Amino acid sequence: MPLLPKTPPLSRRTLLRGLGGSAALGALGALAGCGVPAAYVAPGDRAATDRSATERRLTWANWPLYIDTDDKRPNRRPTLEAFEKETGISVDYVEEINDNDEFFGKVSPSLMNHQPTDRDLIVISDWMCGRFVRLGWVQEMDRSRQPNVTKYLDPLLRSPAFDPGRKFTVPWQSGITGIAYNRRRLGREIRHVSDLWAADLRGRVTLLSGMDEAFALLMQGNGVDITDWETDDFHLICDQVEKQVAKGQIRRFTGNDYIKDLSSGDVLACQAYSGDVIQLQADDPDIEFVVPEEGAELWAESLMIPNLARHKANAERLIDHYYRPEVAAELAAWVNYVCPVPAAQDVLASSGDEETAALAEDPLIFPDAAMRGRLAIARDISAGERAEFAKRWNGIVGV
């Protein structure tokens, strides 16, 4: 098993910019209103002739630094090369996704006009996956080709509101939005979302600027079931955050630059992603990550097969390869996100390398039973809600 990477992977939880996806969806709606055919694609129009049997290849679009590499030869990807060797299927692996909305803008003209994207497999955040599913831009997977997905996918991730039963999506990696803090500098524990508003943290707290990234944890602090929240729950959060901004409690709203603020001590507590904190702890063991007692959001970036993909069966086979526990373990040891294959924990635990085996006990890679009981997947922000909510949230954040 590979050891921890020496440089931290880039986070995949990118923030919304401006109105983000609401602008894109608004543009689609405007086109439909002007007589242009609606962007939705019916199930019968999504598939192309599958060339998998005769063309032993596929194209896979992913984020940078989101797959294992060889320490001595960074251009080599061991788990992917193992798949190619075993199956004879060559994979054109393209690290082209840097932002969910940016990628949406790149492929949406093809998808809304019923044209191929020249990609057989893509990985985007679940809130954006929900948009693709609603628009009918991705194909239902054939689970008969994916016995490992059927057997090993984490029960917590099996049926999000945007894709009941995970017919169109399969998690690539998962993670938790919780609270990170420096216990030595703060001098006490943080156990609740409301602890962020304590007087000794005035001006030393940051929240995430992206609406999709920030809202669920704050709602959970109010005792809201984030799988079934209401409009009033969102506006109450906005009211509370506005109050804390006015008091000077919140230093600023951030993307992943909270990492720098927390490391320097400028910030003592912040909304954070579990995968980032694993890397921060390697340099500073005083930094802790907490799933508040009220709960935290479990999220994923997921694999999807876009409409008119020419190598669907090959893509389904690749997805299933990564759900073998031994392959999932090798990937988890490198990327350090929450592994969507709990069975990989035993594989890591049996490693002869002490540092690798220790990863099996890290609750930020394999949450324990107590932590799992406090995790939930938030229901998606619907297309009808997004413009209103984004306007309110971005007004607070200052976007």
Side-chain angles (χ1 to χ4, degrees):
M1 292 294 175
L3 300 179
L4 284 169
K6 295 180 181 178
T7 56
L10 298 175
S11 174
R12 314 302 148 211
R13 301 294 285 171
T14 53
L15 56 91
L16 284 172
R17 293 177 179 148
L19 287 181
S22 62
L25 282 182
L28 292 176
L31 288 174
C34 294
V36 177
Y40 177 77
V41 178
D45 297 325
R46 298 175 189 174
T49 299
D50 195 344
R51 304 175 186 175
S52 293
T54 57
E55 296 181 358
R56 308 295 290 167
R57 61 185 177 86
L58 68 98
T59 299
W60 178 8
N62 205 347
W63 302 74
L65 300 176
Y66 213 17
I67 195 170
D68 55 302
T69 60
D70 188 303
D71 288 340
K72 296 180 180 179
R73 295 171 293 179
N75 292 329
R76 304 288 297 273
R77 303 178 179 100
T79 57
L80 189 56
E81 290 180 2
F83 170 80
E84 293 178 311
K85 183 177 180 180
E86 177 184 324
T87 64
I89 298 170
S90 64
V91 181
D92 181 15
Y93 185 82
V94 186
E95 294 183 325
E96 66 168 327
I97 303 176
N98 296 292
D99 177 271
N100 286 290
D101 289 310
E102 177 185 64
F103 186 71
F104 179 93
K106 184 183 293 186
V107 299
S108 59
S110 296
L111 290 167
M112 69 185 296
N113 288 297
H114 308 273
Q115 298 171 349
T117 65
D118 298 323
R119 300 163 182 86
D120 301 294
L121 197 59
I122 62 176
V123 179
I124 52 179
S125 300
D126 268 359
W127 61 266
M128 180 62 81
C129 289
R131 185 177 307 166
F132 277 67
V133 171
R134 287 193 300 271
L135 289 167
W137 287 0
V138 289
Q139 300 181 63
E140 184 172 347
M141 296 187 201
D142 183 351
R143 290 288 183 254
S144 69
R145 297 192 183 111
Q146 299 177 318
N148 293 318
V149 173
T150 300
K151 182 176 182 179
Y152 292 117
L153 174 58
D154 190 331
L156 286 178
L157 296 167
R158 284 183 179 266
S159 195
F162 72 88
D163 183 17
R166 286 281 184 185
K167 295 179 180 180
F168 300 93
T169 64
V170 173
W172 170 242
Q173 293 294 288
S174 185
I176 303 165
T177 301
I179 297 172
Y181 69 104
N182 190 307
R183 181 163 183 179
R184 178 180 57 82
R185 286 174 169 153
L186 182 58
R188 62 178 175 83
E189 286 187 337
I190 285 180
R191 297 173 57 191
H192 305 276
V193 175
S194 60
D195 290 342
L196 293 174
W197 316 137
D200 60 349
L201 282 173
R202 184 176 181 181
R204 310 294 292 278
V205 173
T206 61
L207 299 182
L208 293 167
S209 56
M211 176 175 66
D212 292 88
E213 284 76 16
F215 79 91
L217 180 72
L218 300 175
M219 279 188 187
Q220 286 166 302
N222 288 342
V224 173
D225 176 5
I226 61 170
T227 68
D228 189 30
W229 55 271
E230 303 290 342
T231 296
D232 287 347
D233 298 320
F234 178 82
H235 286 297
L236 177 58
I237 286 298
C238 291
D239 292 342
Q240 293 169 336
V241 172
E242 283 178 328
K243 180 180 179 181
Q244 297 301 332
V245 169
K247 288 172 53 180
Q249 187 75 15
I250 298 170
R251 183 183 185 91
R252 66 190 187 103
F253 295 87
T254 73
N256 288 98
D257 43 340
Y258 71 80
I259 295 172
K260 178 182 66 177
D261 291 343
L262 190 61
S263 298
S264 68
D266 289 340
V267 161
L268 298 182
C270 59
Q271 280 188 315
Y273 307 129
S274 56
D276 291 337
V277 174
I278 290 176
Q279 297 299 326
L280 288 169
Q281 289 171 334
D283 297 323
D284 186 350
D286 292 318
I287 291 177
E288 297 195 14
F289 182 87
V290 61
V291 171
E293 293 190 5
E294 301 87 1
E297 181 192 12
L298 181 68
W299 47 262
E301 270 94 26
S302 290
L303 298 142
M304 299 191 299
I305 299 172
N307 289 356
L308 305 181
R310 297 183 177 93
H311 308 98
K312 182 174 184 285
N314 290 346
E316 289 166 337
R317 190 170 180 181
L318 176 60
I319 293 169
D320 205 55
H321 167 75
Y322 278 97
Y323 269 74
R324 293 180 182 178
E326 63 274 16
V327 178
E330 189 171 354
L331 181 63
W334 199 89
V335 301
N336 294 168
Y337 283 83
V338 174
C339 181
V341 183
Q345 184 172 19
D346 290 339
V347 178
L348 283 174
S350 65
S351 171
D353 179 85
E354 183 177 345
E355 189 173 356
T356 300
L359 295 175
E361 302 304 317
D362 192 327
L364 301 188
I365 299 176
F366 299 99
D368 57 29
M371 185 180 291
R372 288 172 67 86
R374 300 199 301 276
L375 299 176
I377 300 176
R379 80 154 176 87
D380 193 29
I381 297 174
S382 72
E385 295 168 324
R386 184 164 291 277
E388 173 192 349
F389 290 175
K391 183 177 181 181
R392 175 95 196 264
W393 180 255
N394 291 334
I396 298 170
V397 173
V399 174

